[in-house]
């Protein structure tokens, strides 16, 4: 008989503790659950188990996270897996149980995970911020050029006034 695989718990990093349970007992009864996490909480720990009537302690598992890696993992007896630094996007975690006879579970238990981008990971926000940055650079450079041009004009006016005063002084010296 093929074993049955179940995802038993999903944990995300907590603010005060290392891990906080995001989904738990409802996963055992639902083969296609979903979880939505924020982009700054982009690490996740998934715990799973298998049910086998013959030799339950020798179960092996294969996992994969579609959207991140399409390949199945090596067979392992570990009953949890950690994913860290998941980029924003949609993923499907799947787990198969394999009993001691090498028989794989017929259906993989799956969990749909959506990592919602943070404000600064949103593409529209990045485009707007880039445009605002570019506009700021253009404005500052325009102000600097304007100030430099005003200084040059003021300097030229002072120099012209100085020349005019010197010329008037020379003309007064010749005119008795």
């Amino acid at each position: 008989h093929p074993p049955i695989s179940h995802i038993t718990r999903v944990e995300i990093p907590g603010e005060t503790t290392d891990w906080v349970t995001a989904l738990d007992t409802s996963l055992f009864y639902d083969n296609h659950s979903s979880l939505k996490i924020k982009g700054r909480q982009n690490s996740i720990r998934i715990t799973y188990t298998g049910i086998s009537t013959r030799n339950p302690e020798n179960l092996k598992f294969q996992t994969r996270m579609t959207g991140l890696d399409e390949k199945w993992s090596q067979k392992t007896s570990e009953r949890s897996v950690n994913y860290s630094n998941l980029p924003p996007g949609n993923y499907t975690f799947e787990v198969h149980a394999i009993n001691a006879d090498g028989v794989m579970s017929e259906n993989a238990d799956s969990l749909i995970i959506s990592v919602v981008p943070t404000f600064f990971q949103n593409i529209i926000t990045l485009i707007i911020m880039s445009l605002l940055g570019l506009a700021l650079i253009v404005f500052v450079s325009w102000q600097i050029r304007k100030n430099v041009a005003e200084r040059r004009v003021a300097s030229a006016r002072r120099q012209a006034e100085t020349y005019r005063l010197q010329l008037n002084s020379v003309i007064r010296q010749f005119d008795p």
Side-chain angles (χ1 to χ4, degrees):
H1 297 289
I4 300 171
S5 58
H6 285 289
I7 298 170
T8 57
R9 185 182 320 146
V10 179
E11 298 171 306
I12 57 175
E15 293 185 21
T16 57
T17 60
D18 288 342
W19 294 96
V20 175
T21 301
L23 290 174
D24 56 1
T25 55
S26 65
L27 290 167
F28 198 78
Y29 302 105
D30 186 9
N31 285 347
H32 300 288
S33 298
S34 64
L35 173 68
K36 196 177 269 192
I37 59 176
K38 297 177 182 173
R40 68 178 183 276
Q41 296 174 326
N42 57 358
S43 296
I44 189 168
R45 179 190 298 166
I46 302 170
T47 307
Y48 44 85
T49 190
I51 300 172
S52 176
T53 55
R54 291 179 37 159
N55 207 355
E57 60 274 349
N58 285 335
L59 280 176
K60 302 278 185 190
F61 299 93
Q62 279 187 308
T63 62
R64 75 174 173 181
M65 180 78 84
T66 56
L68 184 64
D69 188 12
E70 303 301 318
K71 296 180 189 175
W72 287 93
S73 68
Q74 297 290 326
K75 294 177 185 176
T76 181
S77 58
E78 292 292 321
R79 294 181 184 258
S80 69
V81 64
N82 292 338
Y83 292 99
S84 58
N85 298 325
L86 288 172
N90 297 316
Y91 305 97
T92 303
F93 175 79
E94 297 173 292
V95 60
H96 273 294
I98 303 164
N99 66 15
D101 298 329
V103 177
M104 184 180 288
S105 57
E106 294 174 354
N107 297 322
D109 195 9
S110 64
L111 171 68
I112 298 169
I113 302 167
S114 296
V115 180
V116 179
T118 61
F119 180 73
F120 290 107
Q121 290 175 327
N122 191 340
I123 209 75
I124 295 171
T125 303
L126 289 176
I127 291 171
I128 290 171
M129 297 296 276
S130 298
L131 289 175
L132 285 174
L134 182 63
L136 181 66
I137 290 170
V138 168
F139 177 74
V140 168
S141 63
W142 177 75
Q143 285 290 79
I144 291 171
R145 288 179 147 250
K146 180 180 163 189
N147 288 343
V148 167
E150 287 175 357
R151 284 188 201 140
R152 285 184 182 165
V153 167
S155 175
R157 284 186 181 153
R158 282 193 305 272
Q159 193 173 11
E161 184 66 21
T162 303
Y163 288 151
R164 188 184 64 78
L165 291 173
Q166 287 175 350
L167 184 60
N168 286 343
S169 172
V170 169
I171 291 174
R172 284 192 191 127
Q173 288 176 358
F174 288 115
D175 190 16

